């Protein structure tokens, strides 16, 4: 099965943006840094610019993820799905399989009304990732094992959590201001209480186990992304 046919199993309308269309794109379509990367015709230089962008945004926070990308990135392409642009990463796994990861092109207009006011309280490092690098970065088939797009972030107050009835200790987060930015696809979330997130404090939340509080958000994200890349 060719790549596009495989992808269409999960995204019916996904298409790869052609080189001709890339060269004709304007800054209104995507941020300047991404436009520069995709309009670079030299493949080696284009990859270098991609890695440089990752480093400029989150070299400290996602050092292991960036190292994995540097060593295992086979190619990356601009794709479009229902008028939303994203970067499709083809990555080699430890089993020599090709894994497809998606990173949305940043677009501030997608911050939904529900979260707009709270977004101002988000840690700077998280805002920079979503606003300068990617609107989420995750395994494309499952849309998990990564940072989810802003429009799909879980607002904890909007969900029924059966685990709450089983907790012996007082809840350590405010459900009204807590959002799950990372999903592992198996009932695990990495969440930020936007009213209590100094120093990138986060909560590891499970649907079937007690939560773990006061963890460093990026340490967990970096570890989980790499685990997903290695184990898929």
């Amino acid at each position: 099965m060719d790549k596009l046919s495989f992808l269409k199993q999960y995204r019916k309308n996904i298409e790869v943006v052609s080189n001709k269309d890339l060269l004709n794109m304007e800054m209104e379509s995507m941020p300047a840094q991404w436009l520069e990367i995709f309009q670079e015709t030299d493949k080696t230089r284009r990859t270098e610019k991609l890695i440089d962008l990752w480093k400029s945004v989150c070299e400290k926070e996602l050092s292991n993820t960036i190292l994995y990308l540097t060593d295992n990135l086979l190619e990356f392409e601009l794709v479009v799905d229902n008028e939303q642009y994203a970067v499709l990463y083809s990555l080699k796994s430890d089993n020599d399989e090709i894994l497809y990861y998606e990173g949305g092109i940043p677009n501030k207009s997608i911050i939904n009304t529900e979260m707009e006011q709270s977004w101002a309280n988000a840690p700077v490092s998280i805002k920079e990732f979503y606003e300068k690098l990617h609107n989420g970065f995750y395994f494309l088939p499952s849309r998990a094992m990564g940072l989810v797009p802003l429009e799909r972030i879980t607002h904890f107050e909007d969900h029924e959590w059966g685990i709450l009835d089983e907790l012996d200790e007082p809840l350590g987060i405010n459900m009204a201001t807590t959002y799950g930015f990372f999903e592992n696809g198996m009932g695990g979330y990495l969440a930020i209480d936007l009213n209590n997130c100094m120093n990138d404090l986060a909560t590891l939340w499970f649907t079937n186990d007690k939560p773990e509080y006061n963890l460093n958000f990026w340490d967990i994200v970096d570890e989980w992304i790499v685990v997903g890349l290695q184990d898929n």
Side-chain angles (χ1 to χ4, degrees):
M1 183 184 298
D2 64 74
K3 180 192 299 185
L4 192 58
S5 296
F6 174 80
L7 296 174
K8 283 183 177 291
Q9 295 180 101
Y10 306 97
R11 301 290 182 79
K12 180 180 177 181
N13 299 314
I14 195 169
E15 297 290 346
V16 177
V17 178
S18 69
N19 289 333
K20 179 181 177 182
D21 288 340
L22 279 170
L23 292 174
N24 292 328
M25 289 186 92
E26 299 179 353
M27 286 184 62
E28 289 78 11
S29 303
M30 69 173 56
Q33 66 268 31
W34 278 112
L35 192 63
E36 179 184 346
I37 288 171
F38 278 111
Q39 290 186 342
E40 172 61 61
T41 56
D42 182 89
K43 185 176 180 180
T44 299
R45 182 65 188 132
R46 192 161 106 160
T47 301
E48 290 173 350
K49 287 182 176 181
L50 172 75
I51 298 300
D52 286 345
L53 177 58
W54 275 80
K55 288 180 177 179
S56 72
V57 175
C58 52
E59 183 172 23
K60 176 183 176 183
E61 291 82 1
L62 294 177
S63 58
N64 293 314
T65 299
I66 293 172
L67 180 60
Y68 196 97
L69 289 175
T70 303
D71 292 342
N72 297 282
L73 180 62
L74 301 175
E75 65 176 338
F76 65 98
E77 304 156 278
L78 185 67
V79 294
V80 61
D81 182 10
N82 293 319
E83 300 184 351
Q84 293 291 325
Y85 289 103
V87 183
L88 175 69
Y89 291 77
S90 300
L91 295 158
K92 184 175 67 174
S93 74
D94 282 1
N95 298 324
D96 289 329
E97 296 180 0
I98 298 177
L99 305 177
Y100 298 109
Y101 271 68
E102 181 178 30
I105 293 294
N107 182 351
K108 291 183 182 180
S109 67
I110 62 176
I111 298 176
N112 57 54
T113 305
E114 175 186 280
M115 191 179 175
E116 191 169 2
Q117 187 172 358
S118 299
W119 185 243
N121 297 327
V124 172
S125 59
I126 294 177
K127 287 193 286 189
E128 289 199 342
F129 182 92
Y130 278 90
E131 295 177 2
K132 295 182 179 180
L133 183 59
H134 279 310
N135 176 30
F137 178 76
Y138 49 88
F139 185 48
L140 186 145
S142 66
R143 297 193 181 192
M145 282 311 292
L147 292 161
V148 298
L150 287 174
E151 62 269 28
R152 291 184 55 240
I153 283 174
T154 300
H155 186 193
F156 273 38
E157 189 178 49
D158 294 341
H159 292 261
E160 299 254 347
W161 303 100
I163 189 67
L164 292 176
D165 298 328
E166 302 176 20
L167 299 179
D168 298 326
E169 300 177 357
L171 192 60
I173 53 177
N174 183 342
M175 304 298 267
T177 55
T178 296
Y179 296 85
F181 285 86
F182 192 109
E183 296 181 17
N184 71 356
M186 297 176 288
Y189 299 79
L190 187 62
I192 291 276
D193 182 344
L194 295 181
N195 278 356
N196 181 26
C197 56
M198 289 187 64
N199 301 315
D200 298 336
L201 283 182
T203 296
L204 198 52
W205 182 269
F206 301 99
T207 57
N208 58 357
D209 200 357
K210 64 180 182 180
E212 298 179 33
Y213 301 110
N214 299 321
L215 303 173
N216 180 272
F217 179 83
W218 291 110
D219 286 352
I220 305 299
V221 170
D222 199 24
E223 178 183 350
W224 274 12
I225 289 178
V226 173
V227 166
L229 287 164
Q230 292 174 334
D231 291 350
N232 268 309

